[in-house]
Amino acid sequence: ENTELSNTAADLDTQNMLIHGDNLLALKALESKFAGQAKCIYIDPPYNANAANIYEDNIEHSLWLNLIRPRLQIMWRLLGDTGSIWISIDDNERDYLKVLCDEVFGRSSFLASIVWQKRYSRENREAIGDSHEYILVYVKDKDAFKKARNYLPLAEKQLKAYKNPDNDPRGAWQSVSLLAQGYRPNQMYEIVAPNGKVHTPPPGNCWKVVEPEFKKALVDGRVTFGSDGNGVPRRKQFLSEAKGIVPWTWWPQDEVGHTGESKDEVNALFGSDISFDTPKPERLIERIIHIASNPGDLVLDSFLGSGTTAAVAHKMGRRYIGIEMGEHAVTHCVPRLQKVVDGEQGGISQAVNWQGGGGFRFYKLGESIFDEDGAIREQITFAQLAAHVWFCETGEPLSVRADSPLLGVHEGTACYLLYNGILGDKKPQGGNVLTRRVLGSLPPWDGPKVLYGERNMLSPQRMKELDMVFKQTPYDIKGR
C-alpha cells in the first residue's frame, strides 16, 4: 500500500481499493481473497478499433480475444451467485466478444445486450452515423439476479400518469389493464359494473386474476370502471406501492448521458488536455451500479481508465476495487477520487446528494508469488502464500489473516502450511520440513488433514495413521 496516495483520513476502515498494475496479475492476486464476492463487475476494455491509447488498441483480432479471455475467466470466479458482469463494446468486436463470453460464462448466463445511444448530434460527413455502443450483460443465475436486481426509479413522464380523481386516501394512482392474452377457464368469469353492465374478456383474452382475487380487490377499492362507472374494469396501481420500472435494453442519451457529456465531466476534473477519447458518463455507470447492486456491495472494474466506475461507486455507497495499468492511475484516478472524497459536485453528485466522505487505499501491484522458474519468490510472506494455498485447496478466499500453520478447516479437512519459519525457526528451511518435532508443534486436528511444505520426513505408514496428505511447495500449488 502507498499511504501517500491513499486517503483514509475520514475512514480508517475503508475497503475501497485502487490498484496500479497489470490487470491480469492483479485479478489473479485478488482471486484468492475475493472469489465469489463481487456483486457487480463493469469493464470498458479496449475496443480493438482505430484509436491509439494506453492499451494499444487496434491490435490483431485473435490477439485481442486472447487478451480478454483469461481476464474474463478470473472475473467470473470473482463474481457472486447473484452478481452480474457488464461489458462495454462497439460493433467492431461485439459479435466476437459475445461468442467468447458465451464460451467462458456459458450461453445460458447471457442476460441482455443493451444498446446505449452515445451520440445525439449528426455529422453529414459519415456514410452512416455511428450513434450507439453495446453493453453485454451476463449473470451467474438469472432467477437469483432477477430477485436481487433493482428497478429503475419512475421518471417524470411516468409520474405524470399518477392522479387521484376520486381522492383515494392511499394517494395518487393510475389504472392498468386487468386483461391478459390467452384462455384460462378459471379466468373467464363475468364482471358486473356498478351501473349493471356485464363485462367479459374479449376474444383471445382472459382476466389476469381468478375471480376470488378480483372480488378481494373490488372490496378493497382497487378496481375502477372509469369516471362514468361504465368502462372496462381496470386495476388501480398506487404510486406509493410502485416498485419502479423494469430496465429495458434501450438506453437513450437523455436518460444516461452521451460521450459529449462524459468529456465535459473529465474536462472539468482534469482540463481539456486529457488522454481519454471515449470516457463513459457518470449517469451511464450509475444506472448499471443501481440495477446490479446495493449500498455496501462490492463493485469491480479492471479497466478503470479515468476512474469513472470507482468515482460513481464511491458516491453511491458501494465498496469498490479499481485496477488500472497506466500511469494515469496516479495522475488521474487518485486526484479524481480525492475530489470525490472532498465532495466534488460534478457528474451524478447532486442526483445522489453526494456531500463527500469515505476513503480509499492505493496499492502498487507487487511481484507474483512465483518467479519465472516456478520457485516461490524470497520476499513472499507467510500470509501471502497462505492465502494462495488456501484458495488453491478450497476454491474459497481465506477470510482471516494467517498467523498459524493451521490455515483453517474446510469441509472437515484441516489445511496446514509450513513456510517462512511460521513455527518460530527463522533459519532457511527452518520448520518448513515435516518431521516428528514439527508434527508435535502443529495445532491439533482430529480428522483428515492436508499439509503443504518443502519436504516430508515421515513414513507413508505414519502419514496414513495421521490421516494426512502431504503436498510439496511450490510444485503442488503453482498450477492453480
Side-chain angles (χ1 to χ4, degrees):
E1 178 182 355
N2 186 322
T3 55
E4 293 183 0
L5 294 177
S6 300
N7 187 331
T8 59
D11 185 2
L12 292 174
D13 299 321
T14 181
Q15 299 178 50
N16 298 327
M17 300 170 62
L18 174 56
I19 302 174
H20 183 199
D22 178 88
N23 60 10
L24 180 58
L25 296 178
L27 288 170
K28 289 180 178 179
L30 291 170
E31 187 178 2
S32 62
K33 184 176 181 181
F34 292 96
Q37 295 190 33
K39 187 66 176 291
C40 172
I41 297 177
Y42 169 78
I43 60 170
D44 185 11
Y47 286 1
N48 199 17
N50 292 319
N53 61 27
I54 188 70
Y55 298 104
E56 297 184 9
D57 224 341
N58 198 25
I59 60 179
E60 196 271 328
H61 174 75
S62 61
L63 293 178
W64 184 84
L65 291 174
N66 286 331
L67 170 80
I68 300 297
R69 178 192 297 271
R71 290 158 174 81
L72 295 179
Q73 292 170 332
I74 300 176
M75 283 186 275
W76 191 246
R77 295 194 289 268
L78 289 168
L79 199 64
D81 292 338
T82 60
S84 53
I85 292 181
W86 307 64
I87 309 173
S88 283
I89 197 67
D90 66 2
D91 277 311
N92 194 53
E93 292 285 358
R94 185 267 175 201
D95 294 338
Y96 302 99
L97 177 63
K98 171 67 166 61
V99 172
L100 176 62
C101 289
D102 285 347
E103 178 185 336
V104 174
F105 305 147
R107 291 191 66 180
S108 62
S109 296
F110 173 71
L111 183 68
S113 179
I114 292 168
V115 181
W116 167 47
Q117 183 189 9
K118 67 178 182 179
R119 285 173 53 185
Y120 66 96
S121 60
R122 299 176 183 270
E123 292 186 13
N124 293 330
R125 60 186 175 85
E126 299 173 316
I128 296 180
D130 177 20
S131 64
H132 70 278
E133 289 183 5
Y134 301 95
I135 303 172
L136 299 181
V137 188
Y138 285 80
V139 298
K140 277 288 183 76
D141 184 303
K142 289 182 179 179
D143 291 334
F145 176 81
K146 183 179 178 181
K147 293 177 182 178
R149 70 98 169 87
N150 294 311
Y151 291 86
L152 297 178
L154 296 173
E156 184 177 352
K157 180 180 179 181
Q158 286 85 33
L159 290 172
K160 287 182 178 179
Y162 289 85
K163 303 182 185 300
N164 195 2
D166 58 351
N167 294 317
D168 193 303
R170 288 166 289 194
W173 53 272
Q174 67 169 336
S175 67
V176 296
S177 176
L178 268 172
L179 292 172
Q181 291 184 341
Y183 176 84
R184 296 180 179 86
N186 61 341
Q187 294 170 218
M188 299 298 294
Y189 49 90
E190 294 182 344
I191 294 179
V192 181
N195 61 5
K197 184 174 181 178
V198 177
H199 296 275
T200 57
N205 290 267
C206 62
W207 301 120
K208 280 185 178 179
V209 296
V210 295
E211 190 169 15
E213 288 297 317
F214 170 78
K215 289 182 176 180
K216 182 178 178 181
L218 185 65
V219 171
D220 195 29
R222 292 177 177 270
V223 179
T224 176
F225 295 87
S227 57
D228 60 357
N230 193 43
V232 176
R234 293 172 65 87
R235 180 171 60 87
K236 292 169 73 173
Q237 183 183 74
F238 292 94
L239 177 59
S240 59
E241 300 172 353
K243 295 180 180 178
I245 305 171
V246 174
W248 279 14
T249 55
W250 166 240
W251 291 9
Q253 55 84 22
D254 59 331
E255 294 182 6
V256 295
H258 47 77
T259 53
E261 177 177 316
S262 57
K263 286 184 179 179
D264 289 342
E265 288 174 354
V266 219
N267 287 346
L269 290 166
F270 310 119
S272 58
D273 184 21
I274 61 174
S275 57
F276 302 96
D277 294 325
T278 56
K280 297 299 185 287
E282 288 198 8
R283 285 198 290 164
L284 176 69
I285 307 303
E286 188 271 341
R287 172 170 286 194
I288 293 171
I289 293 177
H290 170 81
I291 294 171
S293 68
N294 294 301
D297 287 338
L298 179 61
V299 176
L300 170 68
D301 185 346
S302 59
F303 292 90
L304 192 58
S306 63
T308 304
T309 301
V312 172
H314 195 119
K315 294 176 184 179
M316 296 178 69
R318 273 62 167 175
R319 294 179 295 130
Y320 58 85
I321 299 175
I323 306 170
E324 179 50 51
M325 65 180 289
E327 284 304 317
H328 48 278
V330 176
T331 60
H332 290 73
C333 296
V334 168
R336 182 171 191 172
L337 292 176
Q338 299 280 20
K339 292 179 181 180
V340 170
V341 172
D342 292 340
E344 61 92 357
Q345 291 299 297
I348 65 165
S349 292
Q350 295 183 22
V352 299
N353 192 30
W354 176 247
Q355 301 297 320
F360 63 92
R361 299 182 185 279
F362 183 93
Y363 295 91
K364 176 74 174 179
L365 187 63
E367 293 182 296
S368 62
I369 289 178
F370 304 104
D371 61 22
E372 294 77 6
D373 298 324
I376 300 172
R377 297 184 186 276
E378 291 184 4
Q379 62 271 35
I380 297 301
T381 66
F382 177 84
Q384 289 171 323
L385 186 61
H388 188 77
V389 164
W390 178 261
F391 180 77
C392 291
E393 185 64 32
T394 68
E396 298 179 359
L398 187 61
S399 58
V400 297
R401 182 174 178 84
D403 56 6
S404 163
L406 176 57
L407 306 185
V409 178
H410 179 73
E411 296 181 352
T413 299
C415 182
Y416 294 86
L417 171 64
L418 299 177
Y419 174 72
N420 207 19
I422 186 61
L423 292 171
D425 187 347
K426 300 300 182 181
K427 296 191 299 293
Q429 298 184 340
N432 298 339
V433 176
L434 181 57
T435 64
R436 292 182 179 180
R437 179 183 63 82
V438 168
L439 179 65
S441 301
L442 295 178
W445 173 251
D446 185 17
K449 296 171 276 292
V450 59
L451 183 142
Y452 287 78
E454 292 183 6
R455 195 163 71 255
N456 179 18
M457 301 299 291
L458 303 183
S459 68
Q461 179 61 34
R462 180 58 175 148
M463 294 293 289
K464 185 176 181 180
E465 294 172 356
L466 293 169
D467 196 7
M468 178 182 288
V469 174
F470 178 81
K471 294 188 178 182
Q472 189 176 21
T473 56
Y475 311 108
D476 289 330
I477 59 174
K478 68 178 181 180
R480 288 294 299 267

